[in-house]
């Protein structure tokens, strides 16, 4: 929000964060809170972004940028703990962004280990699809095995398309 940007410009990030803490706990509109936190996240350095995002993790107005900051933090730190933290997120847009960023940045071996231990988890299919995307060229057999584990038929079918040969380009000669 413009108010948050003004506070940051005039008083600095720390003072603006303190002001926002009071605003967030008040009865103001969620859209105002979301815009204010977004402005703070945009102005902060990575540790501050993460701290602010974690502080308001369960708020329904948590912005998408907060999800991005958290997804990166979890992917680079403890991805499995991040998956558990996501259960506390009530903002669907922030949760989706956090999940997308986490899965895209999760290291292959660690993701595979998590999948082996988490076959019943609600995020299993999405995580398996992410792993398949990461390894389908370097290890197609393992990728096919993981693709077969995806329970959601539509996601399994979408993932299977990674193994189809690319269509021939009619404008090139062979």
């Amino acid at each position: 929000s413009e108010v948050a940007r003004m506070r940051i410009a005039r008083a600095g990030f720390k003072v603006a964060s303190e002001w926002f803490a009071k605003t967030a706990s008040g009865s103001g509109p969620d859209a105002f809170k979301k815009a204010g936190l977004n402005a703070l996240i945009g102005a902060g350095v990575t540790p501050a972004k993460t701290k602010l995002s974690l502080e308001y993790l369960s708020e329904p107005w948590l912005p998408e940028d907060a999800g991005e900051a958290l997804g990166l933090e979890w992917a680079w730190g403890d991805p499995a703990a991040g998956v558990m933290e996501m259960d506390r997120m009530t903002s669907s847009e922030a949760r989706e962004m956090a999940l997308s960023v986490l899965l895209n940045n999760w290291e292959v071996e660690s993701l595979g280990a998590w999948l082996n231990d988490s076959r019943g988890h609600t995020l299993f299919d999405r995580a398996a699809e992410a792993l398949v995307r990461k390894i389908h060229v370097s290890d197609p057999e393992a990728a096919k095995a993981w693709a077969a584990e995806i329970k959601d038929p539509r996601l399994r079918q979408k993932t299977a398309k990674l193994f189809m040969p690319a269509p021939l380009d009619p404008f090139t000669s062979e």
Side-chain angles (χ1 to χ4, degrees):
S1 89
E2 216 39 55
V3 175
R5 282 187 202 70
M6 258 179 22
R7 295 246 181 214
I8 295 165
R10 288 186 181 159
F13 186 82
K14 184 175 190 277
V15 172
S17 296
E18 292 166 358
W19 162 81
F20 181 75
K22 292 175 190 164
T23 301
S25 65
S27 61
D30 285 355
F32 182 72
K33 294 173 184 178
K34 180 178 180 177
L37 184 57
N38 226 10
L40 283 169
I41 289 171
V45 293
T46 300
K49 290 178 185 185
T50 304
K51 182 177 183 273
L52 279 169
S53 299
L54 283 170
E55 203 170 316
Y56 301 104
L57 181 71
S58 62
E59 295 295 345
W61 43 262
L62 189 71
E64 194 174 86
D65 286 355
E68 181 179 21
L70 291 170
L72 283 172
E73 177 70 20
W74 294 331
W76 297 337
D78 186 350
V83 170
M84 291 174 54
E85 285 290 312
M86 261 187 254
D87 289 340
R88 295 183 23 217
M89 296 176 88
T90 59
S91 165
S92 58
E93 71 178 25
R95 187 176 196 276
E96 183 56 36
M97 178 58 78
L99 178 60
S100 177
V101 170
L102 171 62
L103 291 176
N104 286 333
N105 291 282
W106 198 333
E107 188 266 329
V108 170
E109 286 79 20
S110 173
L111 178 54
W114 182 86
L115 284 165
N116 276 323
D117 294 339
S118 307
R119 293 183 187 274
H121 197 282
T122 57
L123 296 177
F124 178 87
D125 284 357
R126 293 276 306 273
E129 187 251 351
L131 181 62
V132 169
R133 287 189 177 286
K134 289 174 185 263
I135 67 170
H136 78 279
V137 172
S138 63
D139 192 349
E141 293 310 310
K144 286 177 185 174
W146 280 115
E149 296 285 328
I150 297 173
K151 294 173 230 38
D152 179 318
R154 284 188 294 193
L155 186 57
R156 187 174 53 248
Q157 191 173 39
K158 177 184 163 194
T159 306
K161 289 179 182 178
L162 292 170
F163 303 105
M164 297 176 139
L168 294 176
D169 185 347
F171 300 107
T172 60
S173 60
E174 293 203 12

